[in-house]
Coordinates of all heavy atoms in Angstrom, one line a residue:
L1248 N -9.9 7.9 -12.6 CA -8.7 7.5 -11.8 C -7.5 8.3 -12.3 O -6.6 8.6 -11.5 CB -8.5 6.0 -11.9 CG -9.5 5.2 -11.2 CD1 -9.3 3.7 -11.5 CD2 -9.5 5.4 -9.7
K1249 N -7.4 8.5 -13.6 CA -6.3 9.3 -14.1 C -6.3 10.7 -13.7 O -5.3 11.3 -13.3 CB -6.2 9.2 -15.7 CG -4.9 9.8 -16.2 CD -4.7 9.4 -17.6 CE -3.3 10.0 -18.0 NZ -2.8 9.4 -19.2
A1250 N -7.5 11.3 -13.8 CA -7.6 12.7 -13.4 C -7.6 12.9 -11.9 O -7.0 13.9 -11.4 CB -9.0 13.3 -13.9
R1251 N -8.1 12.0 -11.1 CA -8.2 12.1 -9.7 C -7.8 10.8 -9.0 O -8.7 10.0 -8.5 CB -9.6 12.5 -9.2 CG -9.9 13.9 -9.7 CD -11.3 14.4 -9.2 NE -12.4 13.5 -9.5 CZ -13.1 12.7 -8.7 NH1 -12.7 12.6 -7.5 NH2 -14.0 12.0 -9.1
P1252 N -6.5 10.4 -9.0 CA -6.2 9.1 -8.4 C -6.6 8.9 -7.0 O -6.9 7.8 -6.5 CB -4.6 9.1 -8.6 CG -4.2 10.4 -8.9 CD -5.4 11.1 -9.5
E1253 N -6.7 10.0 -6.3 CA -7.2 10.0 -4.9 C -8.6 9.3 -4.7 O -8.9 8.8 -3.6 CB -7.1 11.3 -4.2 CG -8.1 12.3 -4.7 CD -7.7 13.1 -6.0 OE1 -6.7 12.8 -6.6 OE2 -8.5 14.1 -6.3
S1254 N -9.4 9.4 -5.8 CA -10.7 8.8 -5.7 C -10.7 7.3 -5.5 O -11.7 6.7 -5.2 CB -11.5 9.2 -7.0 OG -11.0 8.5 -8.1
A1255 N -9.6 6.6 -5.7 CA -9.5 5.2 -5.5 C -9.2 4.8 -4.1 O -9.2 3.6 -3.8 CB -8.3 4.6 -6.4
F1256 N -9.0 5.8 -3.2 CA -8.6 5.5 -1.8 C -9.6 6.2 -0.8 O -10.1 7.2 -1.1 CB -7.2 6.0 -1.6 CG -6.2 5.5 -2.5 CD1 -5.9 6.1 -3.7 CD2 -5.5 4.3 -2.2 CE1 -4.9 5.6 -4.6 CE2 -4.6 3.8 -3.1 CZ -4.3 4.4 -4.3
A1257 N -9.7 5.6 0.3 CA -10.4 6.3 1.4 C -9.5 7.5 1.7 O -8.3 7.5 1.6 CB -10.4 5.4 2.6
P1258 N -10.2 8.6 2.1 CA -9.5 9.9 2.4 C -8.3 9.7 3.4 O -7.2 10.3 3.1 CB -10.6 10.8 2.9 CG -11.8 10.3 2.3 CD -11.7 8.8 2.2
A1259 N -8.5 8.9 4.4 CA -7.4 8.7 5.4 C -6.2 8.0 4.7 O -5.0 8.3 5.0 CB -7.9 8.0 6.6
V1260 N -6.5 7.1 3.9 CA -5.4 6.3 3.2 C -4.7 7.2 2.2 O -3.4 7.3 2.2 CB -5.9 5.1 2.4 CG1 -4.9 4.4 1.6 CG2 -6.5 4.1 3.4
W1261 N -5.4 8.1 1.5 CA -4.8 9.0 0.5 C -3.9 10.0 1.3 O -2.8 10.3 0.9 CB -5.8 9.7 -0.3 CG -5.2 10.6 -1.3 CD1 -5.2 12.0 -1.3 CD2 -4.5 10.3 -2.5 NE1 -4.5 12.5 -2.4 CE2 -4.1 11.4 -3.1 CE3 -4.2 9.0 -3.1 CZ2 -3.4 11.4 -4.3 CZ3 -3.4 9.0 -4.3 CH2 -3.0 10.2 -4.9
A1262 N -4.4 10.5 2.4 CA -3.6 11.4 3.2 C -2.3 10.8 3.7 O -1.3 11.4 3.7 CB -4.4 11.9 4.4
M1263 N -2.4 9.5 4.1 CA -1.2 8.8 4.6 C -0.2 8.6 3.4 O 1.0 8.8 3.6 CB -1.6 7.5 5.2 CG -0.5 6.8 6.0 SD -0.8 5.2 6.7 CE -2.6 5.2 6.9
L1264 N -0.7 8.2 2.3 CA 0.1 8.1 1.1 C 0.9 9.4 0.8 O 2.1 9.4 0.5 CB -0.7 7.6 -0.1 CG -1.1 6.2 -0.2 CD1 -2.1 5.9 -1.3 CD2 0.1 5.2 -0.3
K1265 N 0.1 10.5 0.8 CA 0.7 11.7 0.4 C 1.7 12.2 1.5 O 2.7 12.9 1.2 CB -0.3 12.8 0.2 CG -1.2 12.6 -1.0 CD -0.5 12.3 -2.3 CE 0.0 13.6 -2.8 NZ 0.7 13.5 -4.1
E1266 N 1.5 11.8 2.8 CA 2.4 12.2 3.8 C 3.7 11.4 3.7 O 4.8 12.0 3.8 CB 1.8 11.9 5.2 CG 2.7 12.2 6.4 CD 2.1 11.9 7.7 OE1 0.9 11.6 7.8 OE2 2.8 11.9 8.7
Y1267 N 3.7 10.1 3.4 CA 4.9 9.3 3.4 C 5.5 9.2 2.0 O 6.7 8.9 1.9 CB 4.6 7.9 4.0 CG 4.3 8.0 5.4 CD1 3.0 7.9 5.9 CD2 5.3 8.2 6.4 CE1 2.7 8.0 7.3 CE2 5.1 8.3 7.7 CZ 3.8 8.2 8.2 OH 3.5 8.3 9.5
L1268 N 4.7 9.4 1.0 CA 5.2 9.4 -0.4 C 4.6 10.6 -1.2 O 3.7 10.4 -2.0 CB 4.8 8.1 -1.1 CG 5.4 6.8 -0.7 CD1 4.7 5.6 -1.2 CD2 6.9 6.8 -1.1
P1269 N 5.1 11.8 -0.9 CA 4.5 13.0 -1.5 C 4.6 12.9 -3.0 O 3.7 13.5 -3.7 CB 5.3 14.1 -0.9 CG 6.4 13.6 -0.1 CD 6.2 12.1 0.0
E1270 N 5.6 12.3 -3.6 CA 5.7 12.2 -5.0 C 5.5 10.7 -5.4 O 6.3 9.9 -5.1 CB 7.1 12.6 -5.5 CG 7.3 12.5 -7.0 CD 6.2 13.2 -7.8 OE1 5.9 14.4 -7.6 OE2 5.5 12.6 -8.6
L1271 N 4.3 10.4 -5.9 CA 4.0 9.0 -6.2 C 4.4 8.6 -7.6 O 4.5 7.4 -7.9 CB 2.5 8.8 -6.1 CG 2.0 8.8 -4.6 CD1 0.5 8.9 -4.6 CD2 2.5 7.6 -3.9
K1272 N 4.7 9.5 -8.5 CA 5.2 9.1 -9.9 C 6.5 8.5 -9.8 O 7.4 8.9 -8.9 CB 5.2 10.4 -10.8 CG 3.8 10.9 -11.1 CD 3.9 12.0 -12.1 CE 2.5 12.4 -12.4 NZ 2.4 13.2 -13.6
N1273 N 6.8 7.5 -10.6 CA 8.0 6.8 -10.7 C 8.3 6.0 -9.5 O 9.5 5.6 -9.2 CB 9.2 7.7 -11.0 CG 9.1 8.3 -12.4 OD1 8.8 7.6 -13.3 ND2 9.4 9.6 -12.5
Q1274 N 7.3 5.7 -8.7 CA 7.5 4.8 -7.5 C 7.0 3.4 -7.8 O 6.0 3.2 -8.5 CB 6.7 5.4 -6.3 CG 7.1 6.7 -5.9 CD 8.5 6.8 -5.3 OE1 8.9 5.9 -4.6 NE2 9.2 7.8 -5.6
R1275 N 7.7 2.5 -7.3 CA 7.3 1.1 -7.3 C 6.5 0.8 -6.1 O 6.9 1.2 -5.0 CB 8.4 0.1 -7.4 CG 9.2 0.3 -8.7 CD 10.4 -0.6 -8.8 NE 9.9 -1.9 -9.0 CZ 10.7 -3.0 -9.0 NH1 12.0 -2.9 -8.9 NH2 10.2 -4.2 -9.2
V1276 N 5.3 0.3 -6.2 CA 4.4 0.0 -5.1 C 3.9 -1.4 -5.1 O 3.8 -2.1 -6.2 CB 3.2 1.0 -5.1 CG1 3.6 2.4 -4.9 CG2 2.3 0.8 -6.3
C1277 N 3.6 -1.9 -3.9 CA 3.0 -3.2 -3.8 C 1.7 -3.0 -3.2 O 1.5 -2.4 -2.1 CB 3.9 -4.1 -2.9 SG 3.1 -5.7 -2.5
V1278 N 0.6 -3.5 -3.8 CA -0.7 -3.4 -3.3 C -1.2 -4.8 -2.9 O -1.6 -5.6 -3.8 CB -1.7 -2.8 -4.4 CG1 -3.1 -2.6 -3.8 CG2 -1.1 -1.4 -4.9
P1279 N -1.1 -5.1 -1.6 CA -1.4 -6.5 -1.2 C -2.9 -6.9 -1.4 O -3.2 -8.0 -1.6 CB -1.0 -6.5 0.2 CG -0.9 -5.1 0.7 CD -0.7 -4.3 -0.5
S1280 N -3.8 -5.9 -1.4 CA -5.2 -6.2 -1.6 C -5.8 -4.9 -2.1 O -5.7 -3.8 -1.6 CB -5.8 -6.6 -0.2 OG -7.2 -6.8 -0.4
S1281 N -6.6 -5.1 -3.2 CA -7.1 -3.9 -3.8 C -8.6 -4.0 -4.0 O -9.2 -3.0 -4.5 CB -6.4 -3.7 -5.2 OG -7.0 -2.6 -5.8
G1282 N -9.2 -5.1 -3.7 CA -10.7 -5.1 -3.9 C -11.1 -5.0 -5.4 O -11.0 -5.9 -6.1
D1283 N -11.5 -3.8 -5.7 CA -12.0 -3.5 -7.1 C -10.8 -3.2 -8.0 O -11.1 -2.9 -9.2 CB -13.0 -2.4 -7.1 CG -12.5 -1.1 -6.5 OD1 -11.3 -1.0 -6.3 OD2 -13.3 -0.2 -6.3
N1284 N -9.6 -3.2 -7.5 CA -8.4 -2.9 -8.3 C -8.3 -1.4 -8.7 O -7.3 -1.1 -9.4 CB -8.3 -3.8 -9.6 CG -8.0 -5.2 -9.2 OD1 -7.2 -5.5 -8.4 ND2 -8.6 -6.1 -9.9
H1285 N -9.1 -0.6 -8.2 CA -9.0 0.9 -8.5 C -7.7 1.4 -8.0 O -7.1 2.3 -8.6 CB -10.2 1.6 -8.0 CG -11.4 1.4 -8.8 ND1 -12.6 2.1 -8.6 CD2 -11.7 0.5 -9.8 CE1 -13.5 1.7 -9.5 NE2 -13.0 0.7 -10.2
A1286 N -7.2 1.0 -6.8 CA -5.9 1.5 -6.3 C -4.8 1.1 -7.2 O -3.9 1.9 -7.5 CB -5.7 0.9 -4.9
V1287 N -4.8 -0.1 -7.7 CA -3.8 -0.6 -8.6 C -3.8 0.2 -9.9 O -2.8 0.7 -10.4 CB -3.9 -2.1 -8.9 CG1 -3.0 -2.5 -10.0 CG2 -3.7 -2.9 -7.6
L1288 N -5.0 0.4 -10.4 CA -5.1 1.2 -11.6 C -4.7 2.6 -11.4 O -4.1 3.2 -12.3 CB -6.6 1.1 -12.1 CG -7.1 -0.2 -12.6 CD1 -8.6 -0.3 -12.8 CD2 -6.4 -0.6 -13.9
A1289 N -5.1 3.2 -10.3 CA -4.7 4.6 -10.0 C -3.2 4.7 -10.0 O -2.6 5.7 -10.6 CB -5.3 5.1 -8.7
F1290 N -2.5 3.8 -9.3 CA -1.0 3.9 -9.3 C -0.5 3.7 -10.7 O 0.4 4.5 -11.1 CB -0.4 2.7 -8.4 CG -0.5 3.0 -6.9 CD1 -1.1 2.1 -6.1 CD2 -0.1 4.2 -6.4 CE1 -1.1 2.3 -4.7 CE2 -0.2 4.5 -5.0 CZ -0.7 3.5 -4.2
A1291 N -1.0 2.8 -11.4 CA -0.5 2.5 -12.8 C -0.7 3.7 -13.7 O 0.1 4.1 -14.5 CB -1.2 1.3 -13.4
L1292 N -1.9 4.4 -13.6 CA -2.2 5.5 -14.4 C -1.4 6.8 -14.0 O -1.3 7.7 -14.9 CB -3.7 5.8 -14.3 CG -4.6 4.7 -15.0 CD1 -6.1 5.0 -14.7 CD2 -4.4 4.8 -16.5
M1293 N -0.8 6.8 -12.8 CA 0.0 7.9 -12.5 C 1.3 7.8 -13.3 O 1.9 8.8 -13.6 CB 0.3 7.9 -11.0 CG -0.8 8.5 -10.2 SD -0.3 8.6 -8.5 CE -1.4 7.5 -7.7
G1294 N 1.7 6.6 -13.6 CA 2.8 6.3 -14.5 C 4.1 7.1 -14.2 O 4.2 7.8 -13.2
P1295 N 5.0 7.0 -15.1 CA 6.2 7.7 -15.0 C 6.0 9.2 -15.1 O 5.1 9.6 -15.8 CB 7.1 7.2 -16.1 CG 6.4 6.1 -16.7 CD 5.0 6.1 -16.3

Side-chain angles (χ1 to χ4, degrees):
L1248 292 172
K1249 187 165 185 163
R1251 294 183 303 106
E1253 69 275 10
S1254 69
F1256 303 91
V1260 172
W1261 183 252
M1263 192 180 338
L1264 283 169
K1265 295 306 283 182
E1266 179 181 350
Y1267 293 103
L1268 290 168
E1270 181 54 55
L1271 290 168
K1272 290 185 181 199
N1273 293 319
Q1274 298 294 322
R1275 294 178 72 183
V1276 298
C1277 174
V1278 182
S1280 177
S1281 179
D1283 60 11
N1284 290 318
H1285 287 188
V1287 172
L1288 294 168
F1290 283 131
L1292 290 168
M1293 282 186 242

